[in-house]
Amino acid sequence: MSKFIIIYSSVHGQTLKVTNYLAEKLIEQGHQVTTATLEQAPALDEFDKVVLGASIRHGKHTPGLYDFITEQQTVLEQKATSFFSVSLVARKPAKNTAETNPYMQAFLAKTPWRPNLLEVFGGNLNYQGYNAMDRNIIRFIMWITKGPIDANTNVEYTDWQKVDRYAQQLMAL
């Protein structure tokens, strides 16, 4: 069995939810799993497999993600690794793969790290969980992209069967 670490960056909690779900699935199969935020990540040397997950906020992954990758580049290149991204854009069928998701493509253009496995998941749209500024920005973006704009909307776009398949792929790394 493998020793995993899943390091995440989550703004509104959906990336953390995916992280915890993955950890549960991996543990059920007998793997050891540690989860940590980017800021609290321990040394990676003791782990066989490293998974990074990050959400999109205002069209970008957090700058701390790129800082972490730069600092850990040498270790990441020596491990089995994966990266997953969580965004509302991934709710759309034409943008729900690593190859078609613009945020994943922007990520790959911005970093020299090439994980063994890439994945994207739809996020959660919960207007009541956002501050006023974020709510208005996201509603405007949703209006432009023909998504839901009702201020009471709370829709989870994460495809949990896809997350299950991803967990299986992680075990096979």
Side-chain angles (χ1 to χ4, degrees):
M1 293 295 127
S2 297
K3 196 170 183 185
F4 282 87
I5 184 160
I6 306 173
I7 302 164
Y8 65 92
S9 170
S10 189
V11 177
H12 296 290
Q14 196 67 13
T15 305
L16 173 58
K17 188 173 180 180
V18 171
T19 295
N20 289 337
Y21 185 88
L22 286 169
E24 181 181 304
K25 293 296 176 185
L26 295 169
I27 290 167
E28 285 174 3
Q29 296 299 314
H31 299 280
Q32 292 181 14
V33 181
T34 299
T35 62
T37 64
L38 277 172
E39 299 79 19
Q40 297 172 332
L44 304 179
D45 298 357
E46 66 182 271
F47 300 97
D48 305 316
K49 300 179 183 183
V50 179
V51 179
L52 267 66
S55 61
I56 293 295
R57 180 160 192 228
H58 302 306
K60 298 178 183 165
H61 291 105
T62 180
L65 173 66
Y66 299 102
D67 295 341
F68 179 85
I69 291 168
T70 299
E71 292 165 9
Q72 301 294 328
Q73 180 79 29
T74 303
V75 179
L76 290 170
E77 290 172 354
Q78 299 168 359
K79 306 279 182 182
T81 60
S82 182
F83 175 69
F84 70 90
S85 180
V86 177
S87 70
L88 290 172
V89 166
R91 78 188 189 281
K92 295 183 168 197
K95 296 181 181 181
N96 69 356
T97 69
E99 296 78 24
T100 61
N101 185 278
Y103 298 127
M104 182 62 80
Q105 293 307 304
F107 168 81
L108 292 170
K110 196 169 179 174
T111 179
W113 177 48
R114 292 297 175 257
N116 304 101
L117 179 62
L118 297 168
E119 192 56 87
V120 296
F121 301 113
N124 186 59
L125 177 62
N126 179 8
Y127 288 122
Q128 296 305 307
Y130 306 142
N131 65 38
M133 183 180 81
D134 284 348
R135 184 171 36 255
N136 288 326
I137 290 170
I138 295 169
R139 285 182 74 204
F140 179 68
I141 292 167
M142 285 293 165
W143 178 75
I144 291 171
T145 62
K146 310 229 183 306
I149 57 171
D150 183 306
N152 295 312
T153 299
N154 185 359
V155 178
E156 185 175 70
Y157 291 105
T158 306
D159 178 344
W160 294 103
Q161 290 179 339
K162 186 176 182 182
V163 179
D164 284 337
R165 289 189 298 274
Y166 178 64
Q168 293 296 319
Q169 292 173 315
L170 289 174
M171 288 183 254
L173 279 178

